[in-house]
């Protein structure tokens, strides 16, 4: 059996590429790096790689992580500027004996020394998003939340040899403070994988996801014998409830998981979360997830209309509201 699951609709092209590798017997490591790089390179996805949304100072700072579920090696970068594929830097760091998680200037020095490709990651389109947001902020109080339809990519892959891997890549929260690092590169929170059990990855409000170390929690539930679907539902319901009880509200929490047999699961406390999945027996497809209700999360295949509308809105010309 082989398979791959990922957060959000935008992962499906990358996932399809990754599936080609897995189908031919390629490794889950190669598949995930290829799949996530593809998402990073696509300029219209607003929270990943090239075209990612900038921080408060209009700079794109990227977080990414990679984990090998057999050796438990991991590599991660935080707040990295102007490198084309942060996931590749994370993967490279995973083979170091120490210094596996580097941030800011340190991460950039490492990437430069290792010859990773540099690229200006701020696009004209992202600048318009930024200026429109500043304009709105000047008009009204606005809380820092994940961009609606936010797009952090998180993936879990299983190959024919039984290796499982997980990876994430994001520009984090739109308008974050310079130097802010979210949950995505934090092992246990943004992602976790153990080839003997399964893997999970999360997207949403990093500051809340980290309060529950949600990916590790899901893998722990799977270790106890819960299916990936039950494990995702339990982890999201538990954290959502805890946050509401103790803090009065819970941020966006969405997760996906796959076990070592290729069974998968998903849960979210928001409407409109989407995910993509492929297995040996199922072609790559996108599903739309309903908000968790009474501990259960339902999902349905995305309609053709939804898929077309998604791409049309992502690529539509942007209005420069700040000029009006
Ligand atoms: C973060 N979890 O940096 C990320 C944001 C995210 O889709 O998932 N956006 O907090």
């Amino acid at each position: 059996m082989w398979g791959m699951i990922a957060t959000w609709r935008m992962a499906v092209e990358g996932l399809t590429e990754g599936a080609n590798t897995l189908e031919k017997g390629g490794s889950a490591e190669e598949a995930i790096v290829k799949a996530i790089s593809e998402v990073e390179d696509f300029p219209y996805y607003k929270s990943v790689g090239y075209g990612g949304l900038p921080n408060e100072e209009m700079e794109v700072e990227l977080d990414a992580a990679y984990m090998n579920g057999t050796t438990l090696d991991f590599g991660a970068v935080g707040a990295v500027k102007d490198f084309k594929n942060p996931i590749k830097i994370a993967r490279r760091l995973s083979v170091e004996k120490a210094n596996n998680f580097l941030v800011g200037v340190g991460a950039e020095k490492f990437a430069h020394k290792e010859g990773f490709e540099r690229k200006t990651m701020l696009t004209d389109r992202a600048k318009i998003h930024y200026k429109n947001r500043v304009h709105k902020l000047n008009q009204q109080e606005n809380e820092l939340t994940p961009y609606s339809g936010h797009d952090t990519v998180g993936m879990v892959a299983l190959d024919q040899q039984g290796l499982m891997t997980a990876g994430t890549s994001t520009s984090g929260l739109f308008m974050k403070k310079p130097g802010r690092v979210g949950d995505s590169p934090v092992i246990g929170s943004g992602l976790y994988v153990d080839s003997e059990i399964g893997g999970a990855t999360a997207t949403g409000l990093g500051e809340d996801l980290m309060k529950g170390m949600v990916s590790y929690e899901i893998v722990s539930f799977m270790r106890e014998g819960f299916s990936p679907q039950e494990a995702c539902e339990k982890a999201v319901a538990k954290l959502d409830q805890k946050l509401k009880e103790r803090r009065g509200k819970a941020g966006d929490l969405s997760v996906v998981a796959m076990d070592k047999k290729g069974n998968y699961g998903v849960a979210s406390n928001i409407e409109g979360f989407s995910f993509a999945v492929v297995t040996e027996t199922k072609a790559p497809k996108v599903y739309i997830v309903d908000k968790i209700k009474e501990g259960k999360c339902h999902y349905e295949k995305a309609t053709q209309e939804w898929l077309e509308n998604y791409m049309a809105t992502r690529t539509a010309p942007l209005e420069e509201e700040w000029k009006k």
Side-chain angles (χ1 to χ4, degrees), residues 292-296:
I292 194 161
K293 266 186 214 99
E294 285 155 20
K296 294 267 165 264

Side-chain angles (χ1 to χ4, degrees), residues 8 150-152 170 172-173 180 182-184 203-206 209:
W8 305 108
H150 46 103
D151 287 330
T152 288
T170 187
L173 296 185
R180 181 255 184 198
D183 61 306
S184 302
T203 175
L205 182 63
L209 289 160

Side-chain angles (χ1 to χ4, degrees), residues 13 27 37 48 88 101 110 129 169 183 206 220 236 253 270 313:
E13 288 86 5
S27 81
S37 300
V48 182
K88 292 185 181 168
F101 190 169
F110 174 84
H129 279 300
S169 185
D183 61 306
S220 297
V236 167
L253 314 169
I270 58 163
T313 50

Side-chain angles (χ1 to χ4, degrees), residues 131-145:
K131 287 177 185 166
N132 285 346
R133 184 67 165 244
V134 170
H135 177 68
K136 266 200 198 124
L137 283 171
N138 289 338
Q139 291 181 322
Q140 70 201 59
E141 277 281 309
N142 214 333
E143 213 180 330
L144 186 69
T145 55

Side-chain angles (χ1 to χ4, degrees), residues 46-59:
K46 291 187 293 252
S47 305
V48 182
Y50 184 59
L53 289 172
N55 65 16
E56 223 178 50
E57 294 181 1
M58 212 171 80
E59 293 169 326

Side-chain angles (χ1 to χ4, degrees), residues 189-215:
S189 188
L191 72 168
Y192 195 80
V193 62
D194 181 333
S195 303
E196 292 181 4
I197 306 163
T201 180
T203 175
L205 182 63
E207 282 72 3
D208 274 0
L209 289 160
M210 284 190 272
K211 292 182 176 89
M213 290 306 266
V214 78
S215 293

